[in-house]
Amino acid sequence: MRAMPRARVRLRRHPRASAVAATLLMTVIPAALGVVGVVPAVPASADSVGLPVVRSVLAEDDTCAVASGKKAEAEPWTMGVLGASRARPLSQGAGTTVAVVDTGVAKAAPALSGRVSALGAAGEDCVGHGTFAAGLIAAEPGGDGGPAGLAPKARILAVRGTDERGVTTASQVAEAIRQAADEGVSVIYVAVALDGGKAQLTDAVAYASGKDALVVAPAAPDALPRNTEPAPWYWPAAAPGALSVTDYGPDGGRPTNAPVVSGVDLAAPGDVVVSIGPKGSGHFIGSGASFAAAHVAGAAAQVRARYPELTAAQVSRRLTEAAYPASPPRLDPYAALTAVLTDARGAAPKQQRAVLPPPPSTQPRTRALVIAGVGGALVLLVAAGAVVIPRGRARNWRPAGS
């Protein structure tokens, strides 16, 4: 599997993302819509907000992410669409641990304070992508109404699946998944989508499933190198047992140049979303299927906390079957926490044996024939008597010819 290039990749999203998209993220779309509808008017205060864009890979001349000086003071549109205010009172992920296989997660991030543990050097995040994703999963709500995760009581295990600048290989990701599974986590979020490494990553997902950990991964990369066509499948999302996730934006659709793949299990908000950075209390903006997968990982932590008896496969089924019906189904955390699912299946109707009436008795027919025969004989006798008796009397009963 080749490493992802260090050259800059084109963002697949809208130009001027830090300014135009920031206005969209401040809009709260009611959860009652089920799917995203027309975006209401943007508050005037949002017009001046320009959040820095989070990166997934640093180019050779890029420096580590610095603290953002901007904050999103209103709830992002993603939380309204997901019905977070209805789902969080039912479960906040307490007692669960979500492994974040990414560029690392900054232990110092205020919104995750005290809830991040790390393997090796994964407690530092030069790129910022892993901390951003962890915020979507488990950031603590702030008093300013800014972004919070779906499972703000869940713990985060940082497992680096890339080098410190975000470049990765299939073997690195596979090893990170195995390490996370060995730590006994409930959910494993994987940020990358690779066009190779099928055998390694399929084995890693199977290993995690054997440890009862649910692997959640983006169905396609957030961005592609210039002049590159999307692959038909990306790993580990395409591996059996993994939950494959794609993204949509505030208008309910995806950008025309977004990578399109098959075999997606769920869709979740992923375009123009806002979350935390590795330093300070400011916010960043990002777009891509990796952030949609982070929302699904947060919902999975909610379900695992509310239903600890469920296996990873049963949690995956609950998330997909309770989702809003669309193509692919759209994540609905509240429904996943409240839906009544049953494993009972209706029995196939048994084919009934045909019941034939018994053959008619032959006795009535025999009796009727006897009666008819006797009656006929009597009639003949009477008829014969009517002819013979008068003649006999006329001849005094003498024989004929005498």
Side-chain angles (χ1 to χ4, degrees), residues 111-326:
L112 300 170
S113 179
R115 291 183 291 121
V116 179
S117 56
L119 298 183
E124 298 178 358
D125 185 10
C126 176
V127 180
H129 192 281
T131 306
F132 188 101
L136 296 176
I137 296 168
E140 185 74 25
D144 54 6
L150 284 172
K153 299 299 182 184
R155 295 190 59 83
I156 297 294
L157 174 66
V159 186
R160 186 168 285 171
T162 71
D163 66 14
E164 64 177 8
R165 303 185 67 81
V167 179
T168 191
T169 64
S171 59
Q172 283 178 291
V173 177
E175 179 60 24
I177 292 172
R178 290 174 176 271
Q179 290 177 342
D182 286 338
E183 294 296 318
V185 299
S186 302
V187 180
I188 300 176
Y189 161 77
V190 181
V192 298
L194 304 176
D195 60 1
K198 173 182 177 180
Q200 289 174 293
L201 293 169
T202 297
D203 288 347
V205 171
Y207 183 83
S209 298
K211 298 277 188 175
D212 196 32
L214 176 60
V215 177
V216 181
D222 293 345
L224 293 173
R226 294 184 183 278
N227 302 318
T228 300
E229 293 296 322
W233 302 96
Y234 289 93
W235 313 91
L243 198 55
S244 174
V245 184
T246 190
D247 55 317
Y248 63 85
D251 62 353
R254 306 184 70 224
T256 55
N257 61 340
V260 178
V261 296
S262 303
V264 177
D265 297 312
L266 272 177
D271 294 323
V272 292
V273 301
V274 64
S275 187
I276 61 176
K279 298 178 181 179
S281 57
H283 301 139
F284 289 76
I285 190 171
S287 291
S290 67
F291 303 132
H295 283 129
V296 173
Q302 288 181 296
V303 173
R304 298 219 78 165
R306 184 170 171 84
Y307 302 104
E309 73 280 4
L310 296 183
T311 66
Q314 289 170 328
V315 171
S316 179
R317 176 191 171 221
R318 176 167 281 272
L319 289 168
T320 53
E321 292 192 8
Y324 187 88

